[in-house]
Amino acid sequence: MSKVSIVSTGLGNKDLLTTEGKKAIENSQVIIGAEKLLKEFGNRKETIVLKGNLDYISNFIKENYEKKSIAVLVTGDAGLYSLAQSVKKRIPKDIPCEIIPGIGSLQYLCGKAGIGYENIKIVSFHGKKGSILPYAAYNRTLFAITGGEVKAHDVIKELCDGGLGHVKICAGENMSHEDERILKGKAEELVCCEFKDLTSLVIENETYVNSYIPLFDNDFVRSKVPMTKEEIRWITVSKMNIKPQDIIYDIGAGTGSVTIEMARKANEGLVYAVERNSEAVSLIKENKAKLGAFNVKVIEGLAPGCISDLPKPDKVFIGGSCGNMREIIETVLKKNPKVKVMINTITLESLSESISTLKELKFDMEIVNMNVSRAHSVGGYNLMKANNPIYIISGEKNYED
């Protein structure tokens, strides 16, 4: 019985095709692949051009695999953002099929950069938008694939604009071909360079932050601006159930203590710190730089007016509303009807406003009251001194009633 081979052709240079890949192509009667690959590897074979309709290819394989040996060619390495998995999913499990790996851009560029990739973080901006900042902030070494709307120079510019101009970069353009270009330097040194489509980047941040380490109160720069204490902060952030790629608003961000704690949880997302007090804004920026929270974007202004142009949030934390609680919640609901809202309040008046607003807007609520006491030494004895009780209110809108 013949079998189907999905062959990784690597970067397009025949010299980098593995021996097993060459044998699979030579022994196949039918070669399926993109037009460019067929010109390179499909000489003297029956060929089928692989375009957008993978179902056609699937049907061909089902009808012919017993009569003809078939090789499907894919670029790069089959295990990394490859068409290989999409092809394999369309091949019935009872049809013998093997995937032959190859040398892709990750292995090639890491070789050029002289580094291993056993601990590397991989992210692709090819054909999709996103921010490089959280990945570069919380990973020692990062491999980024660019292309389409997001080119390598766009990524490098964002790094510089976001405070990460010091990171080291190895950029690979047209890798393995005659017009290959490998550039190395700090982001700030490469920011004026332009790169072609499908350029890959190895980014090294020697001052990266371990996002799994919690923050203590003495980690923050403080002044007279109020700050959410660490025990309250940890419980609040834990209850928010933050996912790595979440977009989060912190409204009334104060010193940025909750902002930065949330930013470490959303270590592939962004946190928007909204604050109207100029002294507090300066503190947020200072703490952001000190603690490496480069996925925090500071918005100076009064909500809800200043959040109208922000991307839709997954989670919203409200530490201070300046009397605009209802308007703020209504604004974020318009952006995302399923947004999770978390409110911390210390006064009974704010508690009453928060509960009545969420009730009127038909939120399912959870209300927690936290009392934290700390021991203080007095005359050789430890006495507990209580902080003000904090109310933690969280909820999501109920659309079933």
Side-chain angles (χ1 to χ4, degrees):
M1 181 184 291
S2 298
K3 67 179 177 181
V4 178
S5 299
I6 301 175
V7 182
S8 304
T9 61
L11 297 166
N13 185 330
K14 276 188 173 181
D15 292 339
L16 294 178
L17 185 65
T18 65
T19 301
E20 189 178 3
K22 287 177 184 177
K23 286 181 180 177
I25 293 172
E26 289 169 358
N27 295 333
S28 294
Q29 296 164 286
V30 181
I31 307 293
I32 301 172
E35 203 164 344
K36 185 177 179 181
L37 292 177
L38 295 179
K39 287 179 181 178
E40 190 74 21
F41 299 103
N43 293 338
R44 298 184 298 279
K45 301 278 186 179
E46 180 184 347
T47 59
I48 298 174
V49 177
L50 181 59
K51 293 184 179 178
N53 189 354
L54 293 181
D55 290 334
Y56 168 75
I57 300 302
S58 172
N59 291 333
F60 177 86
I61 290 172
K62 291 174 189 175
E63 294 170 5
N64 292 277
Y65 80 95
E66 291 184 310
K67 299 174 282 185
K68 301 176 179 180
S69 55
I70 301 169
V72 182
L73 309 186
V74 296
T75 57
D77 175 34
L80 184 65
Y81 295 105
S82 172
L83 192 63
Q85 294 304 320
S86 296
V87 172
K88 192 171 190 308
K89 284 177 184 177
R90 288 170 169 80
I91 299 174
K93 292 182 179 179
D94 59 336
I95 296 179
C97 178
E98 65 173 345
I99 293 180
I100 300 174
I103 299 173
S105 54
L106 170 64
Q107 299 96 319
Y108 189 90
L109 189 57
C110 283
K112 292 290 183 180
I115 63 169
Y117 45 88
E118 59 272 11
N119 295 315
I120 206 164
K121 176 70 177 179
I122 302 170
V123 60
S124 175
F125 296 108
H126 181 216
K128 56 185 177 181
K129 294 182 179 179
S131 174
I132 192 67
L133 297 177
Y135 298 99
Y138 301 117
N139 293 280
R140 171 66 175 79
T141 311
L142 174 67
F143 177 76
I145 303 168
T146 69
E149 289 185 38
V150 182
K151 302 289 195 297
H153 46 263
D154 299 318
V155 170
I156 293 171
K157 184 178 185 303
E158 186 186 13
L159 287 168
C160 293
D161 291 345
L164 286 163
H166 62 279
V167 301
K168 296 177 183 177
I169 288 180
C170 179
E173 178 186 87
N174 295 328
M175 289 181 284
S176 84
H177 297 279
E178 289 183 3
D179 56 348
E180 172 184 279
R181 185 168 64 141
I182 306 292
L183 294 181
K184 298 179 182 180
K186 293 181 179 179
E188 59 196 14
E189 296 168 345
L190 302 179
V191 71
C192 293
C193 298
E194 292 226 353
F195 295 91
K196 295 179 181 178
D197 217 13
L198 299 179
T199 296
S200 294
L201 302 171
V202 170
I203 301 169
E204 296 180 86
N205 182 5
E206 294 175 353
T207 59
Y208 82 102
V209 169
N210 184 339
S211 63
Y212 298 100
I213 296 177
L215 291 161
F216 295 87
D217 288 348
N218 58 12
D219 290 325
F220 294 91
V221 179
R222 298 179 61 184
S223 68
K224 294 180 181 179
V225 176
M227 185 178 81
T228 303
K229 300 298 188 290
E230 59 194 42
E231 295 87 0
I232 305 298
R233 196 168 60 241
W234 294 337
I235 295 294
T236 298
V237 172
S238 179
K239 280 186 165 293
M240 288 184 76
N241 192 25
I242 294 170
K243 305 295 191 300
Q245 295 186 346
D246 276 349
I247 302 297
I248 306 171
Y249 298 173
D250 181 358
I251 297 175
T255 60
S257 65
V258 175
T259 302
I260 295 171
E261 198 87 59
M262 293 191 298
R264 290 195 174 188
K265 294 286 186 182
N267 55 19
E268 296 179 7
L270 295 172
V271 179
Y272 292 85
V274 179
E275 178 56 57
R276 68 168 185 164
N277 182 290
S278 58
E279 183 184 358
V281 167
S282 297
L283 275 175
I284 296 168
K285 291 178 179 178
E286 193 173 351
N287 281 315
K288 168 185 170 178
K290 179 190 177 195
L291 298 168
F294 295 103
N295 60 329
V296 168
K297 293 184 178 288
V298 183
I299 309 296
E300 184 170 3
L302 181 64
C306 66
I307 65 174
S308 58
D309 294 331
L310 299 184
K312 76 173 185 177
D314 299 291
K315 312 278 166 51
V316 173
F317 173 73
I318 303 175
S321 66
C322 296
N324 297 328
M325 182 71 71
R326 185 183 185 94
E327 291 83 355
I328 290 169
I329 296 175
E330 287 177 337
T331 298
V332 299
L333 280 173
K334 287 178 183 177
K335 289 173 173 285
N336 180 8
K338 295 183 179 180
V339 67
K340 180 167 186 174
V341 175
M342 177 78 71
I343 303 167
N344 278 13
T345 182
I346 193 170
T347 69
L348 296 176
E349 288 78 10
S350 294
L351 173 65
S352 176
E353 180 192 13
S354 302
I355 293 173
S356 62
T357 299
L358 293 178
K359 268 188 178 179
E360 289 168 11
L361 294 174
K362 301 188 184 312
F363 270 66
D364 287 334
M365 277 185 289
E366 178 189 66
I367 304 168
V368 174
N369 176 238
M370 279 193 66
N371 294 273
V372 177
S373 298
R374 286 176 174 270
H376 289 260
S377 180
V378 179
Y381 293 91
N382 286 313
L383 300 178
M384 301 307 293
K385 184 177 180 181
N387 293 327
N388 285 319
I390 300 289
Y391 298 94
I392 302 172
I393 308 119
S394 60
E396 297 174 73
K397 191 170 173 64
N398 186 338
Y399 289 95
E400 294 181 2
D401 294 342

